[in-house]
Amino acid sequence: MARTIQSLERAAAMLRLLAGGERRLGLSDVSAALGLAKGTAHGILRTLQQEGFVEQDPVSGRYQLGAELLRLGNSYLDVHELRARALVWTDDLARSSGESVYLGVLHQQGVLIVHHVFRPDDSRQVLEVGAMQPLHSTALGKVLSAYDPVAHSEVAEGNRKSFTTRTVTALEEFEGVLDLTRARGWAADVEETWEGVASVAAPIHDRHRMPVGAVAITGAVERVCENGDLRSALVAAVRDCARAVSRDLGVTRF
């Protein structure tokens, strides 16, 4: 078995750590989280900073991901056929629904957001491309778990963390959720991951009818839901978007 390079492993772990939170991290935070001496952590951070993968706030001295990572990530996403095929349809969905639209794929034990269309208003929003979402509680994750055997195995064997009082964590109950998702062709997340937030998602298939991703709209519960249920017009819009992308990927019959 080939030997790995420890410094690269540590640098990769550091980038994942910085990508996992919404706040900047200080040297002490990074070294403690990764179990590294401060001198070692500082050397890796400085190297990543010189290469543009990490940026340091000049006032607080804290670190965050740098622009070079975004450039590399966008280079990958630009050649990602799913994202390319979905661009027009997701833009249309955001305009028609008035909500944020997310395109997600299975990655490791979660959902990787590969495309994000902002809600079409003047509110302050944060680009979520590259963010990870859980499989068991989000609408995107439920769709992938229902249609993709690999995703199903990941979520069934993994830790289903409770984020709110509504999160389904028991395996038997979760399997029932997946059965319902397959029966109706879409999945919901009503305050199961974030309080006050609801989402609906539908699967995207390729020409071989294999699940390759999912599309979702996400917004405040009071806008996405009506009398406790997801608005039927929004569910229909998401399903239409998923079918349109699937058709562009070669699906000829639903």
Side-chain angles (χ1 to χ4, degrees):
M1 181 177 178
R3 295 179 60 186
T4 58
I5 301 175
Q6 188 181 57
S7 59
L8 291 179
E9 289 180 335
R10 289 172 170 176
M14 202 167 286
L15 293 174
R16 292 191 185 99
L17 177 65
L18 292 171
E22 296 182 355
R23 60 187 180 88
R24 298 182 178 96
L25 297 177
L27 175 60
S28 296
D29 300 319
V30 174
S31 62
L34 300 180
L36 299 174
K38 284 187 178 180
T40 301
H42 186 251
I44 297 173
L45 284 168
R46 288 297 300 272
T47 302
L48 291 172
Q49 184 180 359
Q50 289 172 6
E51 296 299 324
F53 297 129
V54 165
E55 295 176 357
Q56 185 178 30
D57 182 79
V59 177
S60 67
R62 291 176 174 269
Y63 295 89
Q64 64 183 17
L65 293 181
E68 182 66 11
L69 273 180
L70 179 61
R71 186 190 69 79
L72 291 177
N74 283 337
S75 175
Y76 164 73
L77 294 175
D78 284 343
V79 299
H80 196 294
E81 184 180 7
L82 172 61
R83 179 177 181 271
R85 298 287 185 177
L87 288 177
V88 173
W89 301 111
T90 51
D91 282 350
D92 287 347
L93 179 58
R95 280 194 296 269
S96 65
S97 68
E99 302 295 345
S100 300
V101 176
Y102 295 89
L103 189 68
V105 299
L106 176 66
H107 180 67
Q108 296 178 349
Q109 291 82 43
V111 182
L112 174 66
I113 303 302
V114 297
H115 187 51
H116 173 199
V117 184
F118 282 168
R119 185 172 63 254
D121 59 23
D122 295 328
S123 62
R124 182 177 180 274
Q125 300 174 62
V126 178
L127 186 66
E128 298 288 344
V129 172
M132 294 290 292
Q133 293 186 2
L135 282 170
H136 69 287
S137 62
T138 62
L140 288 170
K142 292 176 191 176
V143 164
L144 293 174
S145 300
Y147 289 92
D148 187 331
V150 176
H152 181 268
S153 297
E154 294 285 3
V155 74
E157 298 170 5
N159 177 31
R160 294 174 297 280
K161 178 183 176 181
S162 179
F163 297 106
T164 74
T165 57
R166 293 173 176 262
T167 308
V168 175
T169 57
L171 182 57
E172 184 175 354
E173 186 179 358
F174 182 73
E175 292 289 0
V177 171
L178 299 188
D179 288 340
L180 179 60
T181 298
R182 286 185 285 265
R184 62 189 183 184
W186 54 275
D189 167 10
V190 181
E191 297 189 284
E192 295 178 51
T193 311
W194 303 282
E195 296 283 355
V197 177
S199 181
V200 56
I204 296 171
H205 296 86
D206 65 11
R207 63 183 178 276
H208 303 296
R209 301 193 64 79
M210 295 296 293
V212 293
V215 62
I217 60 169
T218 300
V221 171
E222 59 267 23
R223 295 195 308 267
V224 178
C225 297
E226 185 176 26
N227 298 323
D229 294 322
L230 288 161
R231 295 180 184 271
S232 58
L234 294 181
V235 173
V238 172
R239 298 191 71 188
D240 286 345
C241 178
R243 290 192 184 105
V245 179
S246 296
R247 282 195 297 270
D248 280 0
L249 290 172
V251 175
T252 58
R253 185 176 58 182
F254 292 93

